[in-house]
């Protein structure tokens, strides 16, 4: 098996390089090409001699994702569909914001969590992504952009549950935020979880990034109905782990709340959310359910969403209503299925 360099940390790359009888500085040199130069082959590493490039090629590989297609939404959100080597599909969504871009990346092909409102859940878990497949979504999209430096924010909110693929995700996070690698600020990288309690506790010890939690209900009965994971890790255990989660200076935990008509959108639900989060450094992102035909759930009215927000604000929380982007190309939250249907259009803002 050839070494998969994009999935390795600096220390691992250095050990590998030394194992090949090469000087240790070659590790940083190659990582510069991979993560800053965004190269896809050893032959592009032009400050390494031709002989050595050929030698490296025999021992190591530079994995890269195969783009099946890219679709652009009316609001310029771009959805990339990638075909993995074993034929599974994953999606990655590039979201234009004011002055910068956010990339929403996948951590698994499919998902095992079974949330009732989410389309990815319908296909079950196909497999975990490797660390290099996770990082390569970022590298691939950056390569396609005319101004790659404007991609400043990364969210693990695509397909899959990142904390169910813990080792690969933490390894990928390392290469995303490491200065000598992709150099994203840890303040602009956010991992979103459905609430796997032991892994939340471990994450707090292993790496510093922002944490978002898909809350979606404020009582165990409703949450277990919407999110089966709540049966294993009910709200009490989840909230305990979150209260102990180490936060950077002035940082907050983001709570995502998908509003589902008649299920979790009443005034009393909002008041219970406020009580549950009382005293925590928390901000709340409200999002009206993105409907899709296979779903037996409906979004609430716009007035309901506003009222829900108002109650949270009355309780002194920051509560934002998130507008869904990319709905027309099924690129919005919970709409990623890895299906390759639809039309192909040129990529927004890309070369
Ligand atoms: N597994 C992780 C990340 C993927 S889901 C997690 O659960 O956080 C990313 C976000 O999309 C979650 O907050 C989820 O609640 C939201 N989401 C899923 N399906 C949705 C839908 N149909 N409409 C709106 N948001 C949805």
């Amino acid at each position: 098996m050839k070494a998969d360099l994009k999935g390795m940390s600096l220390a691992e790359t250095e050990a590998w390089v030394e194992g090949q009888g090469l000087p240790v500085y070659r590790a940083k040199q190659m990582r510069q090409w991979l993560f800053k130069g965004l190269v896809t082959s050893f032959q592009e590493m032009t400050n390494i001699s031709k002989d050595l490039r050929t030698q490296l090629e025999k021992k190591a590989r530079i994995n890269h994702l195969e783009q099946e297609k890219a679709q652009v939404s009316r609001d310029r959100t771009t959805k990339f569909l990638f075909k993995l080597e074993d034929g599974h599909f994953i999606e990655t969504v590039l979201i234009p914001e004011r002055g910068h871009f956010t990339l929403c990346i996948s951590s698994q092909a499919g998902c095992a969590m079974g949330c009732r409102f989410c389309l990815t859940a319908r296909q079950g878990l196909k497999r975990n992504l490797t660390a290099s497949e996770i990082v390569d979504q970022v590298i691939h999209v950056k390569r396609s952009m005319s101004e790659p430096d404007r991609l400043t924010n990364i969210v693990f909110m695509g397909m899959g549950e990142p904390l169910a693929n813990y080792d690969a995700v933490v390894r990928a996070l390392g290469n995303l935020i490491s200065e000598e690698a992709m150099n994203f600020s840890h303040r602009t990288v956010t991992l979103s979880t459905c609430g796997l309690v032991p892994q939340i506790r471990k994450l707090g010890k292993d790496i510093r990034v922002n944490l978002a939690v898909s809350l979606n209900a404020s009582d165990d009965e409703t949450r277990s109905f919407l999110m089966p994971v709540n049966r294993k890790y009910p709200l009490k255990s989840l909230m305990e782990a979150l209260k102990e989660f180490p936060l950077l200076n002035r940082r907050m935990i983001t709570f995502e709340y998908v509003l589902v008509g008649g299920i979790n959108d009443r005034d009393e639900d909002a008041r219970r959310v406020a009580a549950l989060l009382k005293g925590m450094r928390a901000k709340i992102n409200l999002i009206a359910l993105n409907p899709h035909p296979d779903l037996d759930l409906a979004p609430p009215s716009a007035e309901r969403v506003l009222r829900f927000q108002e109650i949270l604000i009355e309780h002194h929380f920051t509560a934002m209503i998130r507008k869904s982007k990319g709905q027309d190309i099924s690129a919005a939250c919970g709409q990623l299925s890895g299906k390759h249907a639809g039309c192909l259009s040129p990529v927004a803002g890309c070369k």
Side-chain angles (χ1 to χ4, degrees), residues 4 18 35 48 64 66 96 117 134 161 177 209 226 230 240 244 246 278 293 316-317 329 336:
D4 176 6
E18 286 189 303
F35 298 117
I48 298 179
H64 54 96
E66 192 187 316
F117 44 79
I134 297 171
E161 166 50 44
I177 65 177
V209 286
L226 291 173
N230 191 70
E240 267 168 22
E244 286 163 26
K278 194 165 180 226
H316 311 291
F317 284 101
I329 56 163
L336 300 183

Side-chain angles (χ1 to χ4, degrees), residues 116-117 215-228 230-231 235 257-258 260 262-266 268-269 272:
R116 193 178 272 262
F117 44 79
L215 185 63
N216 300 337
S218 53
D219 65 281
D220 280 321
E221 197 187 334
T222 313
R223 194 162 192 272
S224 298
F225 169 76
L226 291 173
M227 305 174 70
N230 191 70
R231 293 197 194 106
L235 281 167
Y257 197 100
V258 181
V260 186
I263 305 281
N264 64 0
D265 63 341
R266 294 158 301 182
E268 66 201 71
D269 294 308
R272 244 193 334 247

Side-chain angles (χ1 to χ4, degrees), residues 1-8 12-20 22 26-27 30-31 34 39-43 45 48 51-64 85 132:
M1 272 264 276
K2 288 185 178 180
D4 176 6
L5 294 178
K6 275 188 212 170
M8 288 158 68
E12 287 165 342
T13 315
E14 286 177 342
W16 182 82
V17 157
E18 286 189 303
Q20 301 299 311
L22 298 168
R26 293 288 187 196
M30 286 195 300
R31 284 170 64 83
L34 291 172
V39 301
T40 54
S41 74
F42 287 103
Q43 293 309 328
M45 300 184 177
I48 298 179
D51 280 356
L52 182 52
R53 283 185 239 159
T54 309
Q55 189 187 323
L56 287 167
E57 229 161 34
K58 290 188 186 133
K59 297 286 175 60
R61 46 183 280 166
I62 304 178
N63 246 351
H64 54 96
E85 277 173 356
S132 66

Side-chain angles (χ1 to χ4, degrees), residues 169-190:
V169 164
V170 169
R171 196 175 268 276
L173 282 170
N175 282 341
L176 287 173
I177 65 177
S178 166
E179 232 172 279
E180 49 75 45
M182 298 218 70
N183 196 24
F184 283 92
S185 158
H186 56 221
R187 295 177 170 278
T188 60
V189 176
T190 302

Side-chain angles (χ1 to χ4, degrees), residues 104-105 107-108 111 113 115-120 156-163 191-195 212-216 227 256-259 287-292 295 324 332-335:
C104 175
I105 63 176
S107 56
Q108 300 181 309
C111 185
M113 296 297 121
C115 296
R116 193 178 272 262
F117 44 79
C118 179
L119 197 55
T120 308
F156 282 71
M157 294 186 191
M159 295 167 75
E161 166 50 44
L163 294 185
L191 183 146
S192 178
T193 178
C194 63
V213 178
S214 298
L215 185 63
N216 300 337
M227 305 174 70
E256 297 154 279
Y257 197 100
V258 181
L259 286 156
I287 177 164
L289 178 84
N290 287 315
H292 45 83
L295 215 63
S324 275
C333 300
Q335 295 187 319

